[in-house]
């Protein structure tokens, strides 16, 4: 299985199989992804968006449950009214009046309740998929930043190699000049190459610092410069050797992609609303009930009372607003379905392009490896010829530059191979570690 895709991410960039477990101060790709998912505002906002969608479902469900309201009142009056009735003194109005009521209202049928609830449920499922996909995309963003940082680290290492070679050539030129075997031009040329290589280290170091800052921003980690990134050790083998059968991949991706799932559910939510205007042709029915208490019983002699009732409202004519609303909702539902269709085709395009890109990167990586070996042999041969007096200092400098360029290209192609592999995983709807994302 394509597991541990991105965890495997830097054999590509210099890792070795069977690497030791992560130590203190060493940051793995898994740990970086987890840090981003627990700290980055994008992931936290995705969770809150889903929480809000669930709350809207609860709100829509409330229409099916009774509304119960309790009220109470106290009134102080300046005088009391008492009447005599059948030989008894009855207080019609007391100095201190207390009253309370408990009311219940239940909507039996309303045109907005059923389609509104179905729409809210579909929107909840859509947001659930969208939030999970937002986290998946953040994990890929972290993976790319992680790889980019490792790649620049490798370029810095290549720049240091160039400096080491230039320094060796400079020492050899000084020794040969002291022996009277070459002119001062060889020493000057070698010294210029040392200065150029040293400047290259400084410039690359600035790029390294920049990529560490960008990665730290994604992880919400202020102390990135004290951490060393651990190279994953399976991606190179997976990227070079794994075969992806063309048949069935597109359908597999279309079934798995969370962004497509979110679009499908949103289309279902919009479709549910199409029924709303039609249901408005039916009357709305509600039941009501009330229980009341007062300390002013009056002539009835009863301190408590209750009543129940039913109410119905029926909009017989609304100026054809329902017809217009039905046409609008139907068109919006069709637009949502067209959006799903367009994204289905987009996923197919992404999968096919990712497969082509991966094959091209495999070929480019192999070519870069061959070119690097040739440049390495050439630099060694030119250095030996120079020591024997059979090559000029300019040739040594050129060979050193060619070796540096070959190392940089090799790192870039290794990074490109990792990115191409990750892009295919992303197109297939998997997370950066080759697993199906959890919702």
């Amino acid at each position: 299985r394509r597991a541990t895709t991105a965890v495997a991410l830097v054999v590509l960039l210099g890792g070795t199989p069977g690497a030791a477990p992560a130590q203190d101060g060493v940051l793995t790709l898994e740990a970086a992804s987890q840090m981003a998912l627990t700290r980055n505002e994008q992931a936290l906002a995705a969770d809150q968006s889903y929480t809000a969608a669930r709350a809207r479902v609860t709100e829509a469900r409330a229409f099916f449950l009774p509304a119960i309201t309790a009220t109470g009142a106290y009134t102080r009056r300046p005088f009391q009214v008492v009447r005599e009735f059948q030989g008894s003194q009855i207080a019609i109005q007391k100095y201190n009046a207390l009253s309370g009521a408990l009311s219940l209202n239940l909507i039996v049928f309303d045109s907005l309740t059923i389609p509104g609830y179905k729409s809210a449920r579909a929107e909840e499922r859509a947001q659930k998929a969208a939030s999970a996909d937002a986290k998946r995309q953040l994990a890929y963003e972290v993976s790319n930043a992680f790889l980019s940082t490792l790649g620049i680290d490798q370029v810095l290492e290549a720049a240091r190699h160039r400096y080491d070679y230039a320094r060796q050539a400079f020492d050899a030129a000084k020794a040969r000049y002291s022996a009277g075997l070459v002119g001062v031009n060889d020493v000057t040329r070698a010294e210029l190459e040392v200065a150029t290589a040293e400047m290259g280290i400084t410039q690359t170091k600035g790029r390294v610092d920049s990529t560490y800052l960008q990665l730290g921003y994604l992880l919400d980690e202020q102390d990135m410069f004290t951490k060393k990134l651990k190279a994953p050790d399976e991606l190179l083998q997976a990227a070079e050797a794994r075969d992806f059968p063309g048949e069935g991949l597109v359908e597999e991706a279309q079934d798995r992609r969370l962004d497509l799932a979110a679009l499908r559910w949103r289309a279902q939510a919009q479709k549910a609303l199409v029924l709303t205007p039609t249901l408005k042709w039916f009357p709305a029915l509600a039941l009501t009930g009330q229980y009341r208490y007062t300390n002013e019983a009056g002539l009835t002699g009863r301190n408590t009372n209750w009543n129940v009732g039913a109410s119905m409202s029926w909009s017989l004519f609304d100026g054809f607003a329902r017809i217009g609303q039905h046409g609008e909702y139907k068109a919006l539902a069709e637009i949502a379905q067209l959006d799903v269709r367009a994204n289905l085709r987009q996923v197919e395009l992404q999968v096919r392009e990712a497969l082509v890109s991966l094959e091209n990167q495999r070929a480019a990586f192999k070519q870069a490896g061959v070119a690097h070996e040739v440049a390495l042999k050439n630099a060694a041969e030119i250095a030996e010829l120079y020591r024997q007096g059979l090559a000029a200092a300019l040739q040594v400098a050129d060979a050193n530059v060619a070796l540096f360029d070959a190392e940089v290209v090799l790192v870039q192609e290794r990074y490109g191979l990792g990115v191409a592999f990750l892009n295919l995983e992303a197109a297939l709807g998997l997370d950066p570690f080759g697993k199906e994302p959890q919702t």
Side-chain angles (χ1 to χ4, degrees):
R1 203 192 151 74
R2 53 183 73 85
T4 358
T5 303
V7 181
L9 220 43
V10 183
V11 153
L12 214 167
L13 298 175
T16 53
Q23 303 172 354
D24 292 340
V26 177
L27 183 65
T28 65
L29 184 58
E30 301 100 314
S33 297
Q34 191 60 36
M35 287 172 65
L37 292 177
T38 55
R39 299 181 181 183
N40 190 282
E41 293 82 0
Q42 181 179 337
L44 299 178
D47 288 336
Q48 293 303 315
S49 295
Y50 178 54
T51 300
R54 292 180 62 186
R56 286 191 290 271
V57 172
T58 302
E59 185 179 355
R61 188 186 297 119
F63 286 105
F64 297 96
L65 301 176
I68 301 175
T69 305
T71 59
Y74 165 76
T75 305
R76 171 65 182 178
R77 300 188 178 96
F79 54 84
Q80 178 175 271
V81 178
V82 178
R83 295 288 186 267
E84 184 175 341
F85 181 72
Q86 296 181 352
S88 300
Q89 297 289 324
I90 300 175
I92 302 300
Q93 180 176 287
K94 293 186 175 182
Y95 289 113
N96 299 296
L98 298 174
S99 65
L102 187 66
S103 302
L104 179 144
N105 185 66
L106 175 63
I107 298 176
V108 178
F109 175 79
D110 188 281
S111 61
L112 295 177
T113 55
I114 298 175
Y117 178 69
K118 290 178 64 177
S119 178
R121 286 285 294 170
E123 284 286 355
E124 179 204 10
R125 293 185 175 97
Q127 188 58 57
K128 184 177 183 179
S131 295
D133 192 61
K135 291 183 176 182
R136 187 179 76 99
Q137 295 299 334
L138 176 61
Y140 275 106
E141 191 175 352
V142 170
S143 298
N144 280 305
F146 196 93
L147 272 182
S148 179
T149 305
L150 285 168
I152 297 299
D153 268 339
Q154 291 295 309
V155 172
L156 178 60
E157 190 64 26
R160 287 171 176 156
H161 291 163
R162 177 185 180 182
Y163 176 79
D164 292 340
Y165 289 137
R167 192 73 197 180
Q168 292 171 12
F170 178 57
D171 293 340
K174 287 197 299 183
R176 290 178 61 77
Y177 175 71
S178 299
L181 299 177
V182 296
V184 70
N185 286 340
D186 279 23
V187 178
T188 303
R189 183 67 183 83
E191 188 176 12
L192 177 61
E193 174 60 18
V194 170
T196 302
E198 192 170 14
M199 182 176 65
I201 291 177
T202 302
Q203 293 173 339
T204 307
K205 183 65 168 60
R207 294 173 60 195
V208 169
D209 292 344
S210 178
T211 56
Y212 268 91
L213 287 173
Q214 292 173 11
L215 181 59
Y217 170 77
L218 286 174
L219 306 185
D220 192 18
E221 173 60 54
Q222 305 298 324
D223 202 21
M224 280 299 301
F225 292 105
T226 63
K227 300 184 182 298
K228 180 167 180 62
L229 305 187
K230 181 179 182 295
D233 53 8
E234 296 177 5
L235 178 64
L236 186 59
Q237 295 91 336
E240 285 187 292
R242 177 159 179 78
D243 292 327
F244 290 91
E247 296 298 327
L249 272 186
V250 172
E251 292 78 8
E252 181 182 335
Q254 290 172 339
D255 289 339
R256 184 188 294 119
R257 287 278 290 264
L258 292 173
D259 52 342
L260 265 178
L263 287 175
R264 289 189 179 103
W265 281 115
R266 288 203 165 98
Q268 288 293 324
Q270 193 61 53
K271 184 178 179 181
L273 294 177
V274 175
L275 192 60
T276 303
T278 303
L279 292 177
K280 285 184 177 181
W281 290 102
F282 295 93
L285 178 64
L287 297 178
T288 59
Q290 186 182 69
Y291 179 85
R292 186 175 180 276
Y293 167 83
T294 180
N295 66 341
E296 296 177 321
L299 297 177
T300 65
R302 304 179 66 88
N303 294 100
T304 62
N305 198 359
W306 60 270
N307 63 76
V308 295
S311 63
M312 183 183 74
S313 62
W314 195 353
S315 177
L316 299 177
F317 181 72
D318 60 0
F320 305 108
R322 281 170 284 201
I323 295 176
Q325 192 177 49
H326 181 269
E328 179 190 3
Y329 285 174
K330 188 174 181 181
L332 291 174
E334 183 62 27
I335 291 173
Q337 287 294 340
L338 291 173
D339 198 17
V340 172
R341 284 174 51 189
N343 279 271
L344 283 170
R345 296 194 300 112
Q346 183 66 28
V347 168
E348 180 179 2
L349 176 63
Q350 290 174 358
V351 171
R352 297 193 187 281
E353 284 185 338
L355 285 170
V356 172
S357 176
L358 180 60
E359 290 304 316
N360 289 340
Q361 281 299 138
R362 284 174 174 172
F365 177 56
K366 290 179 182 178
Q367 293 168 2
V370 172
H372 178 259
E373 290 180 6
V374 171
L376 190 61
K377 290 179 181 178
N378 180 62
E381 290 175 359
I382 294 296
E384 181 61 30
L385 290 174
Y386 182 74
R387 281 191 290 270
Q388 297 175 11
L390 301 177
L394 182 60
Q395 291 177 289
V396 175
D398 289 343
N400 187 23
V401 172
L403 177 58
F404 169 71
D405 290 342
E407 282 193 70
V408 171
V409 170
L410 181 60
V411 169
Q412 291 173 340
E413 296 303 336
R414 282 174 172 172
Y415 171 70
L417 182 60
V419 169
F421 194 79
L422 282 180
N423 286 342
L424 180 56
E425 296 287 330
L428 293 175
L430 301 169
D431 69 9
F433 307 99
K435 301 175 183 178
E436 295 201 17
Q438 300 294 320
T439 53

